Amino acid sequence: MKNAHWNQQESIFLTPLYRAEIGCANHLLRLNQGQPLWGTIDAHKAIPWVEEQTGLTLSASQRAAIELMLRHKVTVITGGPGVGKTTLVNSILKILKAKHIHIALCAPTGRAAKRLSESTGLEAKTVHRLLEFDPAIFSFKHNEECPLELDCLVIDESSMMDVTLMNQLLKAVPSKAALLIVGDVDQLPSVGPGAVLADIIDSGKIATVRLTEIFRQASTSKIITNSHRINQGLLPITTHAQGLSDFYCVYAETPEEIFSKLMQVVLERIPDRFNLHSVNDIQVLAPMNRGGLGARSLNIELQQRLNGSSEPKIMRYGSIYAPGDKIIQQIEVSLAYAISIHKAQGSEYPAVVIPLAMQHYMLLERNLLYTGVTRGKQLVVIIAQPKALAMAVKNQRSQRRVTNLISRLNS
């Protein structure tokens, strides 16, 4: 245990977290020193060139972001869906690749790395794979003594990075290299300790671009416009013109009614109206694992209805499995017809269905709902008690995590 000061109060930190937080601050400040490897790039020439290469016209905020990135060694890009983060990152990468800068891309999870690779056309690795985790010694190959060979590192979905993993990654980045930290600071914080992305932004020490403008082609999506409404503390708009929408709120008075409507939506209505597959395309995202509307109970029921006749059946870790079951692999395999919103971070699905009931009271918060809604690519259906949805949109009660990274970056 270590004594430290937080918010002018003496606090006790677990030693590994204390060291990781000091390490994060020191490495960010180290990497932020000096001039970028690419020297001076004239943004007024580079931006028209990259627009010609991509066939896209950049917004004023994206142009300003590129200018900022080209001047700094460490930059943060944050913003919600539909604000052009991907276009901006691709534009920056094109400019730097033209200068023969060796770029590496990473993300905290396999799914997030796959999405980054698909959006950039470049190889992206998980942080563990990039650092070459060795289970034999339970450590990473790359560190201060054996740094990564790169000129610029892009970290995507950085809101998921906890303080320990971020420290392990930053210590392996050579001092000459630049760092681009990309993520949505309004999503759920990392599962592990810390609030690294929020703290970096709030410190004011690192050049930061916050994109807020929803692009015209994205503004037709109710998923995108409603996710921004939720983020602003406003209820989603669910009035529908003729034809199909990509966002629905289905109201129910009781948990039993939510359960019944969820089964109907997953098994019949979405497959029939949207031609989406109940197992392959639809993901149920529950606020929590426990309870009648938790991921565990929903998994048992959905498994029975969607794959109940499959044989042979085996029992492992308290669950029954059969060929064709939808599963998620973590430390052990789990059923994944329904998963928690926390587990869905960094992933996207064609359709998501989110049950919200007052029994989820302790977890009904804005960043949880926002994270769940932004997982859907083509369709989002919220099945909710009206009071539970209102509470989720309104609540920001979770206390800011007790961290000291902001003051360490400013010391």
Side-chain angles (χ1 to χ4, degrees):
M1 297 262 183
K2 291 278 185 182
N3 285 343
H5 285 83
W6 174 78
N7 207 18
Q8 282 76 53
Q9 298 177 19
E10 190 166 35
S11 303
I12 296 175
F13 279 64
L14 292 171
T15 302
L17 300 182
Y18 175 80
R19 289 176 178 155
E21 195 175 77
I22 290 174
C24 274
N26 290 343
H27 291 303
L28 282 165
L29 295 172
R30 166 179 67 85
L31 292 167
N32 207 30
Q33 290 177 351
Q35 296 301 309
L37 265 177
W38 50 81
T40 303
I41 296 177
D42 186 345
H44 298 293
K45 290 181 181 175
I47 290 168
W49 174 83
V50 83
E51 286 180 325
E52 190 181 330
Q53 293 286 309
T54 59
L56 298 170
T57 303
L58 297 170
S59 69
S61 57
Q62 288 175 319
R63 287 164 173 251
I66 289 174
E67 288 187 40
L68 191 75
M69 165 76 187
L70 294 177
R71 292 199 312 270
H72 290 85
K73 281 186 69 205
V74 183
T75 315
V76 173
I77 295 172
T78 189
V83 297
K85 291 198 302 288
T86 299
T87 299
L88 178 55
V89 170
N90 282 338
S91 299
I92 289 165
L93 295 180
K94 271 200 182 331
I95 292 168
L96 295 184
K97 282 180 77 66
K99 294 287 182 179
H100 306 293
I101 298 297
H102 179 199
I103 301 163
L105 295 89
C106 69
T109 67
R111 283 233 180 171
K114 185 169 182 282
R115 281 176 53 206
L116 179 60
S117 188
E118 287 166 356
S119 66
T120 60
L122 302 171
E123 184 188 20
K125 298 179 179 179
T126 63
V127 173
H128 284 75
R129 190 164 154 235
L130 180 73
L131 296 177
E132 296 183 50
F133 181 73
D134 185 347
I137 57 171
F138 211 75
S139 187
F140 295 106
K141 174 185 168 184
H142 292 289
N143 50 36
E144 298 102 322
E145 285 77 42
C146 182
L148 295 162
E149 291 184 18
L150 49 82
D151 300 326
C152 178
L153 177 64
V154 178
I155 313 168
D156 197 18
E157 293 287 356
S158 57
S159 62
M160 299 175 68
M161 293 285 288
D162 64 42
V163 69
T164 307
L165 187 59
M166 184 63 101
N167 181 47
Q168 294 289 346
L169 179 58
L170 295 177
K171 70 166 67 169
V173 180
S175 295
K176 65 170 186 175
L179 187 64
L180 180 57
I181 303 168
V182 185
D184 185 347
V185 74
D186 295 313
Q187 284 188 28
L188 286 166
S190 56
V191 174
V196 179
L197 179 61
D199 286 349
I200 291 171
I201 292 169
D202 291 346
S203 74
K205 275 290 184 182
I206 303 299
T208 298
V209 176
R210 184 157 195 157
L211 299 171
T212 56
E213 176 190 350
I214 302 175
F215 283 87
R216 191 167 61 249
Q217 63 269 31
S219 66
T220 58
S221 164
K222 290 283 192 297
I223 295 174
I224 288 173
T225 54
N226 278 329
S227 67
H228 285 269
R229 282 183 65 82
I230 290 165
N231 203 25
Q232 293 157 14
L234 303 170
L235 284 169
I237 293 174
T238 55
T239 50
H240 306 305
Q242 285 190 334
L244 295 176
S245 176
D246 63 353
F247 193 104
Y248 294 88
C249 281
V250 178
Y251 290 111
E253 291 304 314
T254 64
E256 293 75 20
E257 193 183 346
I258 292 176
F259 185 90
S260 171
K261 287 186 172 178
L262 184 142
M263 292 300 153
Q264 185 186 21
V265 161
V266 172
L267 299 171
E268 300 166 24
R269 293 185 66 180
I270 294 177
D272 291 348
R273 295 185 71 190
F274 292 89
N275 197 29
L276 293 171
H277 193 277
S278 292
V279 177
N280 299 338
D281 299 325
I282 303 170
Q283 183 62 59
V284 177
L285 298 180
M288 60 199 298
N289 286 311
R290 296 189 305 277
L293 289 172
R296 289 175 195 152
S297 295
L298 292 172
N299 264 319
I300 292 167
E301 190 68 27
L302 287 165
Q303 179 191 41
Q304 179 60 37
R305 298 195 189 200
L306 289 167
N307 200 39
S309 60
S310 181
E311 296 287 345
K313 288 179 167 55
I314 60 165
M315 183 168 231
R316 290 288 187 278
Y317 326 115
S319 294
I320 294 169
Y321 298 91
D325 269 333
K326 186 173 186 175
I327 59 167
I328 185 171
Q329 184 175 357
Q330 298 166 296
I331 301 168
E332 297 290 12
V333 165
S334 309
L335 290 173
Y337 298 97
I339 61 173
S340 69
I341 293 172
H342 283 84
K343 284 196 182 80
Q345 269 187 285
S347 299
E348 279 186 342
Y349 310 94
V352 301
V353 179
I354 304 171
L356 293 178
M358 289 306 294
Q359 65 181 244
H360 301 138
Y361 175 82
M362 292 302 294
L363 288 170
L364 293 177
E365 300 208 23
R366 188 181 301 170
N367 60 2
L368 183 91
L369 179 58
Y370 174 77
T371 301
V373 166
T374 53
R375 301 307 93 206
K377 284 194 289 188
Q378 295 166 235
L379 178 65
V380 171
V381 180
I382 296 172
I383 306 175
Q385 289 174 293
K387 188 177 177 184
L389 177 59
M391 182 178 283
V393 169
K394 179 185 163 198
N395 268 353
Q396 282 187 298
R397 69 166 173 260
S398 61
Q399 294 296 310
R400 184 64 179 266
R401 289 182 173 182
V402 178
T403 67
N404 208 24
L405 185 56
I406 295 173
S407 61
R408 293 194 204 286
L409 284 166
N410 279 293
S411 61

